[in-house]
């Protein structure tokens, strides 16, 4: 009886040892890496960029401030884009708040164009995401947009100082910055759609082209009424418009493409 009991305990101990070995083996197999299907990397999304979100939030606060304090100026001068006055009215708003609204809205227009250049560059040159910090790219595009606006402002002042009277120069500069303010109000929702709602970039480009062409048509109309309203002034207006509008715009596009190529090749 004693020998039978001893054999029974040995059998139970042996089975428990075998079960423990099986558990240890299964645990080791679960720890070891096993090859599997490689996951697909998620595409780069603009809304995942913290710098873009912070910049758009800051732009929203500035835009709200400008609309709150310069609402009278904005509606007054956007209305004047479709009209022509030989002389300014005594009721026109020329206060410091209106000038501040012009600076804020014009600056925001440059920022929105810089963000659109960023979206365009990432769409056409995806390798830009990996070669340099995105914050540096955005800052570079915004700086290019600011430089483009300031360069045109300086060229307008220089050419108009040579050929036209003081009142004509003032009306033209005002019309130019009024169109920038109007573009700001149209560009902000477009940039939000591109960044946060995955608007197709080709559709966004069509809207952007429409905004730009509409602004150029308004400037063409204002230039004709302001400088070349005589019957023989049409050809002069074509030369003026091409020299100070179309050529700088083409140089801007070529400059953006050239900058992208330099960044990709050197970084």
């Amino acid at each position: 009886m004693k020998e039978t009991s001893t054999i029974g305990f040995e059998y139970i101990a042996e089975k428990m040892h075998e079960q423990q070995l099986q558990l240890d083996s299964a645990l080791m197999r679960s720890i070891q890496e096993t090859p599997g299907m490689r996951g697909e990397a998620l595409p780069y999304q603009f809304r995942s960029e913290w710098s873009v979100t912070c910049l758009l939030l800051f732009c929203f606060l500035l835009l709200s401030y400008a609309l709150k304090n310069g609402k009278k100026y904005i509606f007054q001068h956007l209305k004047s884009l479709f009209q022509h006055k030989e002389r300014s009215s005594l009721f026109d708003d020329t206060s410091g708040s209106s000038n501040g609204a012009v600076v804020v809205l014009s600056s925001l227009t440059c920022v929105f164009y810089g963000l659109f250049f960023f979206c365009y560059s990432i769409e056409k040159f995806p390798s830009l995401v990996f070669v340099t910090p995105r914050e540096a790219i955005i800052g570079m595009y915004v700086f290019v947009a600011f430089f483009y606006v300031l360069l045109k402002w300086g060229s307008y002042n220089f050419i108009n100082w040579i050929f036209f009277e003081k009142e004509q120069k003032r009306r033209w500069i005002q019309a130019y910055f009024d169109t920038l303010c109007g573009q700001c109000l149209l560009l902000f929702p477009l940039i939000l759609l591109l960044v946060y709602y995955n608007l197709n970039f080709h559709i966004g480009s069509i809207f952007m082209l429409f905004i730009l062409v509409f602004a150029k048509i308004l400037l063409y109309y204002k230039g004709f009424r302001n400088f070349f309203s005589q019957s023989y002034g049409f050809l002069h207006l074509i030369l003026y418009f091409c020299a100070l509008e179309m050529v700088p715009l083409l140089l801007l596009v070529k400059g953006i493409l050239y900058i992208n190529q330099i960044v990709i090749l050197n970084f």
Side-chain angles (χ1 to χ4, degrees), residues 39-97:
E40 184 177 353
L42 292 175
Y44 175 77
Q45 295 180 333
F46 302 119
R47 62 173 177 266
S48 63
E49 195 68 46
W50 69 269
S51 56
V52 174
T53 300
C54 293
L55 184 59
L56 285 175
L57 178 61
F58 182 68
C59 290
F60 172 75
L61 295 176
L62 286 180
L63 183 60
S64 301
Y65 171 80
L67 291 176
K68 179 179 180 296
N69 294 279
K71 180 171 62 175
K72 178 181 177 182
Y73 168 86
I74 293 170
F75 287 106
Q76 173 184 309
H77 284 264
L78 289 180
K79 182 180 178 181
S80 69
L81 283 174
F82 303 93
Q83 300 173 348
H84 179 71
K85 296 180 181 180
E86 294 295 334
R87 297 186 180 276
S88 59
S89 172
L90 295 175
F91 299 99
D92 289 345
D93 186 6
T94 57
S95 61
S97 61

XYZ file of all heavy atoms in Angstrom, residues 39-97:
487
model
N 2.908 47.369 -40.922
C 1.857 48.376 -40.929
C 2.140 49.502 -41.917
O 3.296 49.790 -42.246
N 1.081 50.144 -42.383
C 1.206 51.249 -43.332
C 1.214 52.573 -42.572
O 0.328 52.821 -41.732
C 0.043 51.239 -44.313
C 0.140 52.298 -45.397
C -0.995 52.191 -46.379
O -1.781 51.225 -46.289
O -1.103 53.080 -47.242
N 2.211 53.390 -42.836
C 2.336 54.665 -42.127
C 1.192 55.611 -42.497
O 0.762 55.663 -43.655
C 3.670 55.324 -42.474
N 0.695 56.324 -41.489
C -0.375 57.277 -41.735
C 0.154 58.469 -42.529
O 1.282 58.907 -42.314
C -0.959 57.766 -40.412
C -1.735 56.733 -39.590
C -2.144 57.327 -38.253
C -2.957 56.257 -40.357
N -0.625 59.010 -43.465
C -0.167 60.182 -44.223
C -0.061 61.416 -43.336
O -0.760 61.525 -42.312
C -1.255 60.352 -45.290
C -2.473 59.727 -44.692
C -1.976 58.585 -43.853
N 0.796 62.328 -43.733
C 0.958 63.564 -42.967
C -0.308 64.411 -43.090
O -0.872 64.555 -44.170
C 2.158 64.351 -43.492
C 2.332 65.696 -42.834
C 2.872 65.797 -41.568
C 1.927 66.861 -43.482
C 3.023 67.027 -40.960
C 2.076 68.091 -42.884
C 2.624 68.163 -41.622
O 2.769 69.393 -41.014
N -0.772 64.933 -41.955
C -1.972 65.754 -41.923
C -1.634 67.109 -41.312
O -0.944 67.191 -40.292
C -3.083 65.070 -41.114
C -3.581 63.783 -41.744
C -4.675 63.129 -40.928
O -4.748 63.294 -39.718
N -5.533 62.380 -41.590
N -2.158 68.160 -41.947
C -1.849 69.509 -41.479
C -2.384 69.749 -40.073
O -1.765 70.446 -39.272
C -2.445 70.544 -42.436
C -1.958 70.398 -43.848
C -2.837 70.126 -44.880
C -0.624 70.509 -44.140
C -2.391 69.973 -46.181
C -0.149 70.363 -45.441
C -1.044 70.096 -46.460
N -3.539 69.191 -39.758
C -4.151 69.468 -38.464
C -3.375 68.847 -37.305
O -3.589 69.204 -36.151
C -5.595 68.977 -38.442
C -5.769 67.494 -38.621
C -7.229 67.106 -38.404
N -7.459 65.690 -38.642
C -7.865 65.195 -39.789
N -8.064 65.996 -40.825
N -8.074 63.900 -39.927
N -2.496 67.873 -37.602
C -1.677 67.277 -36.547
C -0.471 68.135 -36.191
O 0.241 67.806 -35.244
C -1.213 65.885 -36.986
O -0.381 65.975 -38.138
N -0.236 69.202 -36.927
C 0.908 70.086 -36.681
C 0.534 71.124 -35.625
O -0.352 71.953 -35.840
C 1.309 70.776 -37.990
C 2.669 71.429 -37.951
C 3.775 70.402 -37.859
O 3.746 69.412 -38.598
O 4.666 70.602 -37.004
N 1.191 71.070 -34.476
C 0.832 71.979 -33.381
C 1.114 73.432 -33.746
O 0.385 74.338 -33.308
C 1.608 71.599 -32.121
C 3.083 71.860 -32.199
C 4.050 70.996 -32.613
C 3.755 73.081 -31.867
N 5.284 71.582 -32.581
C 5.135 72.872 -32.114
C 3.333 74.308 -31.399
C 6.076 73.861 -31.892
C 4.286 75.304 -31.174
C 5.638 75.071 -31.418
N 2.153 73.690 -34.529
C 2.486 75.061 -34.901
C 1.397 75.676 -35.771
O 1.070 76.862 -35.634
C 3.833 75.103 -35.632
O 3.817 74.246 -36.762
N 0.792 74.876 -36.667
C -0.297 75.375 -37.512
C -1.516 75.708 -36.662
O -2.159 76.744 -36.848
C -0.653 74.331 -38.596
C -1.875 74.766 -39.385
C 0.530 74.129 -39.538
N -1.837 74.838 -35.698
C -2.980 75.088 -34.823
C -2.784 76.353 -33.995
O -3.700 77.186 -33.887
C -3.199 73.879 -33.900
O -3.445 72.712 -34.687
C -4.384 74.113 -32.973
N -1.605 76.520 -33.415
C -1.322 77.722 -32.609
C -1.370 78.973 -33.475
O -1.904 80.017 -33.055
C 0.036 77.591 -31.930
S 0.117 76.298 -30.679
N -0.824 78.899 -34.676
C -0.819 80.058 -35.558
C -2.232 80.444 -35.978
O -2.589 81.635 -35.993
C 0.043 79.764 -36.792
C 0.242 80.906 -37.791
C 0.904 82.107 -37.109
C 1.082 80.446 -38.971
N -3.064 79.459 -36.297
C -4.441 79.763 -36.695
C -5.256 80.293 -35.520
O -6.112 81.171 -35.703
C -5.100 78.507 -37.261
C -4.661 78.113 -38.675
C -5.296 76.798 -39.083
C -5.006 79.200 -39.677
N -5.005 79.797 -34.322
C -5.696 80.336 -33.145
C -5.303 81.785 -32.921
O -6.166 82.643 -32.632
C -5.352 79.488 -31.917
C -5.955 79.951 -30.588
C -7.482 79.941 -30.662
C -5.463 79.068 -29.440
N -4.025 82.100 -33.064
C -3.563 83.478 -32.925
C -4.173 84.368 -34.008
O -4.584 85.506 -33.736
C -2.039 83.508 -32.990
C -1.440 84.868 -32.818
C -1.505 85.526 -31.600
C -0.804 85.512 -33.876
C -0.958 86.778 -31.425
C -0.261 86.765 -33.722
C -0.332 87.406 -32.495
N -4.259 83.854 -35.229
C -4.869 84.616 -36.319
C -6.353 84.873 -36.051
O -6.866 85.957 -36.355
C -4.702 83.872 -37.644
S -3.009 83.813 -38.265
N -7.032 83.872 -35.488
C -8.444 84.051 -35.164
C -8.641 85.162 -34.126
O -9.556 85.983 -34.245
C -9.021 82.733 -34.645
C -10.418 82.853 -34.116
C -11.494 82.990 -34.986
C -10.663 82.833 -32.751
C -12.793 83.116 -34.496
C -11.947 82.951 -32.259
C -13.007 83.088 -33.131
N -7.782 85.207 -33.121
C -7.889 86.255 -32.102
C -7.623 87.633 -32.705
O -8.336 88.608 -32.406
C -6.903 85.967 -30.967
C -7.167 84.692 -30.158
C -6.065 84.474 -29.135
C -8.524 84.750 -29.479
N -6.609 87.738 -33.567
C -6.322 89.022 -34.211
C -7.450 89.448 -35.139
O -7.819 90.624 -35.194
C -5.008 88.923 -34.992
C -3.717 88.916 -34.186
C -2.515 88.812 -35.123
C -3.593 90.164 -33.317
N -8.009 88.489 -35.870
C -9.113 88.809 -36.773
C -10.339 89.266 -35.990
O -11.027 90.218 -36.398
C -9.443 87.584 -37.622
C -10.531 87.760 -38.685
C -10.136 88.832 -39.683
C -10.791 86.444 -39.404
N -10.615 88.625 -34.877
C -11.743 89.041 -34.036
C -11.520 90.451 -33.502
O -12.450 91.275 -33.467
C -11.911 88.056 -32.874
O -12.142 86.754 -33.340
N -10.284 90.738 -33.100
C -9.963 92.086 -32.606
C -10.147 93.131 -33.704
O -10.717 94.202 -33.471
C -8.532 92.099 -32.089
C -8.015 93.484 -31.752
C -8.340 94.095 -30.549
C -7.194 94.186 -32.652
C -7.873 95.368 -30.245
C -6.738 95.441 -32.355
C -7.075 96.037 -31.153
O -6.617 97.300 -30.872
N -9.683 92.819 -34.915
C -9.798 93.778 -36.017
C -11.253 94.013 -36.400
O -11.664 95.149 -36.664
C -9.001 93.280 -37.223
N -12.046 92.943 -36.431
C -13.460 93.100 -36.783
C -14.219 93.864 -35.706
O -15.150 94.615 -36.001
C -14.099 91.723 -36.999
C -13.628 90.944 -38.231
C -14.258 89.569 -38.263
C -13.954 91.711 -39.509
N -13.826 93.683 -34.462
C -14.507 94.376 -33.367
C -14.214 95.872 -33.369
O -15.109 96.700 -33.169
C -14.099 93.762 -32.028
C -14.733 94.425 -30.807
C -14.283 93.739 -29.544
C -14.914 94.401 -28.324
N -14.469 95.798 -28.146
N -12.954 96.230 -33.623
C -12.551 97.637 -33.507
C -12.553 98.384 -34.833
O -12.554 99.614 -34.827
C -11.143 97.720 -32.888
C -11.116 97.239 -31.460
O -11.460 97.963 -30.537
N -10.697 95.996 -31.260
N -12.522 97.671 -35.952
C -12.487 98.357 -37.246
C -13.602 97.961 -38.166
O -13.443 98.009 -39.393
N -14.735 97.545 -37.592
C -15.843 97.076 -38.416
C -16.348 98.170 -39.348
O -16.631 97.924 -40.517
C -16.970 96.574 -37.512
C -18.181 96.062 -38.259
C -19.148 95.385 -37.303
C -19.654 96.368 -36.262
N -20.688 95.737 -35.386
N -16.441 99.395 -38.844
C -16.925 100.503 -39.667
C -15.986 100.743 -40.846
O -16.430 100.923 -41.991
C -17.038 101.766 -38.818
C -17.493 102.993 -39.593
C -17.557 104.202 -38.685
C -17.956 105.453 -39.478
N -17.972 106.661 -38.627
N -14.685 100.743 -40.573
C -13.706 100.960 -41.645
C -13.786 99.844 -42.682
O -13.758 100.096 -43.888
C -12.303 101.025 -41.055
C -11.231 100.958 -42.103
C -10.801 102.103 -42.756
C -10.657 99.731 -42.472
C -9.823 102.042 -43.733
C -9.691 99.663 -43.449
C -9.271 100.825 -44.073
O -8.324 100.760 -45.044
N -13.870 98.591 -42.224
C -13.828 97.456 -43.138
C -14.987 97.504 -44.124
O -14.793 97.410 -45.346
C -13.827 96.142 -42.339
C -12.516 96.012 -41.548
C -14.001 94.949 -43.270
C -12.522 94.876 -40.558
N -16.204 97.664 -43.609
C -17.361 97.690 -44.501
C -17.356 98.936 -45.389
O -17.772 98.885 -46.556
C -18.644 97.628 -43.685
C -18.908 96.274 -43.093
C -18.730 96.037 -41.745
C -19.315 95.225 -43.900
C -18.959 94.790 -41.206
C -19.552 93.970 -43.371
C -19.376 93.747 -42.014
N -16.884 100.045 -44.860
C -16.835 101.277 -45.645
C -15.882 101.148 -46.816
O -16.203 101.535 -47.950
C -16.404 102.430 -44.731
C -16.148 103.741 -45.449
C -15.632 104.792 -44.473
O -16.223 105.016 -43.427
N -14.520 105.402 -44.809
N -14.720 100.569 -46.581
C -13.715 100.502 -47.643
C -13.917 99.304 -48.563
O -13.517 99.378 -49.730
C -12.325 100.480 -47.015
C -11.893 101.828 -46.528
N -11.109 102.681 -47.270
C -12.174 102.492 -45.382
C -10.898 103.801 -46.598
N -11.535 103.705 -45.438
N -14.499 98.227 -48.066
C -14.850 97.150 -48.977
C -15.935 97.600 -49.944
O -15.949 97.204 -51.119
C -15.323 95.926 -48.195
C -14.255 95.161 -47.413
C -14.872 93.978 -46.689
C -13.121 94.709 -48.315
N -16.834 98.448 -49.462
C -17.851 99.015 -50.346
C -17.225 99.952 -51.368
O -17.632 99.992 -52.540
C -18.887 99.756 -49.502
C -20.031 100.361 -50.309
C -21.007 101.077 -49.398
C -22.119 101.732 -50.203
N -23.073 102.472 -49.311
N -16.202 100.697 -50.952
C -15.560 101.645 -51.865
C -14.779 100.954 -52.976
O -14.439 101.586 -53.980
C -14.628 102.582 -51.089
O -13.497 101.879 -50.592
N -14.456 99.656 -52.806
C -13.769 98.930 -53.868
C -14.598 98.861 -55.140
O -14.051 98.775 -56.244
C -13.411 97.515 -53.395
C -12.216 97.374 -52.459
C -12.102 95.942 -51.983
C -10.934 97.824 -53.117
N -15.909 98.873 -54.991
C -16.797 98.763 -56.141
C -17.324 100.125 -56.591
O -18.193 100.194 -57.448
C -17.978 97.850 -55.790
C -17.544 96.480 -55.343
C -17.355 96.198 -53.998
C -17.298 95.485 -56.269
C -16.956 94.943 -53.578
C -16.894 94.221 -55.854
C -16.727 93.952 -54.505
N -16.804 101.194 -55.989
C -17.197 102.543 -56.349
C -15.952 103.342 -56.682
O -14.817 102.882 -56.496
C -17.962 103.214 -55.197
C -19.235 102.490 -54.791
C -19.859 103.101 -53.553
O -19.258 103.924 -52.858
N -21.105 102.712 -53.272
N -16.162 104.552 -57.174
C -15.035 105.431 -57.476
C -15.361 106.838 -57.000
O -16.403 107.392 -57.347
C -14.725 105.458 -58.975
C -13.589 106.377 -59.315
N -12.287 106.090 -58.985
C -13.583 107.587 -59.951
C -11.507 107.085 -59.414
N -12.263 107.999 -59.991
N -14.481 107.384 -56.148
C -14.636 108.735 -55.644
C -13.460 109.574 -56.108
O -12.306 109.170 -55.958
C -14.692 108.737 -54.110
C -15.883 108.003 -53.527
C -15.831 108.066 -52.007
C -17.000 107.314 -51.379
N -16.944 107.370 -49.900
N -13.760 110.716 -56.652
C -12.688 111.619 -57.059
C -11.955 112.185 -55.854
O -10.755 112.430 -55.895
C -13.257 112.759 -57.905
C -13.816 112.314 -59.249
C -12.736 111.750 -60.160
O -11.561 112.131 -59.994
O -13.062 110.912 -61.029
N -12.689 112.401 -54.770
C -12.087 112.913 -53.544
C -12.653 112.152 -52.352
O -13.763 111.645 -52.400
C -12.352 114.421 -53.379
C -11.731 115.253 -54.485
C -11.876 116.740 -54.222
N -11.277 117.518 -55.288
C -9.994 117.815 -55.368
N -9.179 117.382 -54.438
N -9.519 118.521 -56.379
N -11.859 112.078 -51.295
C -12.314 111.379 -50.102
C -13.399 112.166 -49.397
O -13.435 113.397 -49.445
C -11.134 111.161 -49.147
O -10.556 112.409 -48.790
N -14.313 111.442 -48.757
C -15.418 112.067 -48.048
C -14.987 112.490 -46.654
O -14.082 111.908 -46.050
C -16.591 111.090 -47.962
O -17.601 111.601 -47.135
N -15.667 113.524 -46.128
C -15.396 113.970 -44.761
C -15.823 112.929 -43.737
O -15.368 112.964 -42.594
C -16.128 115.295 -44.492
C -15.655 116.499 -45.319
C -16.548 117.699 -45.029
C -14.201 116.823 -45.024
N -16.694 112.013 -44.144
C -17.204 111.010 -43.221
C -16.403 109.719 -43.252
O -16.754 108.768 -42.563
C -18.672 110.703 -43.555
C -19.572 111.904 -43.440
C -19.940 112.620 -44.578
C -20.023 112.320 -42.206
C -20.759 113.723 -44.477
C -20.842 113.431 -42.098
C -21.224 114.141 -43.232
N -15.349 109.683 -44.070
C -14.507 108.485 -44.099
C -13.765 108.340 -42.780
O -13.270 109.316 -42.207
C -13.489 108.561 -45.250
C -14.169 108.416 -46.598
O -15.334 107.982 -46.620
O -13.532 108.761 -47.618
N -13.685 107.109 -42.333
C -13.025 106.829 -41.061
C -11.519 106.788 -41.270
O -10.993 105.922 -41.965
C -13.520 105.496 -40.514
C -12.986 105.207 -39.114
O -12.335 106.101 -38.547
O -13.247 104.100 -38.605
N -10.793 107.699 -40.656
C -9.323 107.739 -40.765
C -8.691 107.695 -39.386
O -7.593 108.205 -39.179
C -8.876 109.020 -41.492
O -9.390 110.168 -40.786
C -9.369 109.033 -42.916
N -9.363 107.107 -38.426
C -8.857 107.069 -37.061
C -7.743 106.043 -36.936
O -7.466 105.255 -37.831
C -9.989 106.723 -36.094
O -10.512 105.452 -36.392
N -7.110 106.071 -35.757
C -6.034 105.117 -35.517
C -6.508 103.682 -35.503
O -5.787 102.769 -35.903
N -7.752 103.445 -35.029
C -8.273 102.075 -35.017
C -8.433 101.515 -36.424
O -8.201 100.334 -36.672
C -9.608 102.036 -34.280
O -10.565 102.861 -34.933
